[in-house]
Amino acid sequence: MALIGTFGDIMFEVDMLNARIIKDYSRKISMRLAKHEIIGQKPLIEVLGEDLDEISFTMHLNSKLGIDPTKEFSKLQKICIGGQANYLILGMKLVSENPFIIESLSQEIKVVNSIGETVISDINISLKEYPVQSVLNTSGSSNNNGGVKLPWSLS
């Protein structure tokens, strides 16, 4: 089995029985900027800090390669709607020190069989970084997750 990577319990892999292939991988890293208008002059730019990373890719699924596209989309839909944050690992390395949530999903059905079952589909996945860092809560004291309930336990 060739393990390409993982997102939570979703494994991107290619072997003799299964194939979850990712393609068109893209990562966007940007800064937050404020623009201050000045009469009669060019505006000034203030750097506020890093923005959240965004990742998008397409997962190609073929039922003839052991993966049911309909079940896989349903599994991803539950992760998305549940707001579950997971670490993205590619090439056996963490993509970021922070986990990601699924911001959006779309499915392109490419082939259906004679009884209407999806045989081949592409699932377009957009991820957004979900920082887990020390921030001040409303009482002014520091905690490890900013008061946000995490979908996993930190030990």
Side-chain angles (χ1 to χ4, degrees):
M1 170 175 65
L3 182 63
I4 300 163
T6 64
F7 180 68
D9 63 353
I10 306 281
M11 292 192 302
F12 310 116
E13 61 186 335
V14 179
D15 66 21
M16 297 297 287
L17 301 174
N18 297 305
R20 280 186 195 87
I21 302 165
I22 60 171
K23 60 182 186 175
D24 301 327
Y25 176 90
S26 173
R27 182 174 183 181
K28 178 183 172 189
I29 299 171
S30 60
M31 296 296 292
R32 292 178 295 121
L33 305 173
K35 181 176 160 184
H36 302 282
E37 299 292 339
I38 300 173
I39 298 173
Q41 297 179 26
K42 288 189 176 188
L44 294 176
I45 298 293
E46 179 182 1
V47 177
L48 301 176
E50 292 180 72
D51 208 346
L52 300 173
D53 288 5
E54 297 176 15
I55 293 177
S56 63
F57 58 88
T58 300
M59 197 162 60
H60 181 75
L61 303 172
N62 185 333
S63 63
K64 293 181 181 180
L65 298 175
I67 304 295
D68 181 333
T70 303
K71 286 182 182 176
E72 200 71 14
F73 186 75
S74 178
K75 187 176 184 180
L76 288 163
Q77 184 180 13
K78 287 177 186 173
I79 293 169
C80 179
I81 292 170
Q84 180 182 346
N86 292 298
Y87 287 92
L88 178 63
I89 299 170
L90 293 176
M92 304 311 287
K93 294 180 183 174
L94 280 173
V95 170
S96 171
E97 63 187 29
N98 292 313
F100 290 84
I101 58 171
I102 297 175
E103 183 176 33
S104 67
L105 290 171
S106 65
Q107 182 179 32
E108 297 176 40
I109 297 173
K110 303 290 188 179
V111 177
V112 294
N113 64 16
S114 61
I115 57 172
E117 296 171 331
T118 302
V119 177
I120 299 173
S121 77
D122 285 344
I123 300 175
N124 302 303
I125 302 171
S126 295
L127 304 177
K128 188 161 278 197
E129 186 178 18
Y130 186 88
V132 179
Q133 57 191 10
S134 183
V135 295
L136 291 178
N137 63 24
T138 55
S139 67
S141 64
S142 179
N143 67 19
N144 67 346
N145 63 5
V148 176
K149 183 178 179 189
L150 300 176
W152 65 91
S153 63
L154 295 172
S155 43

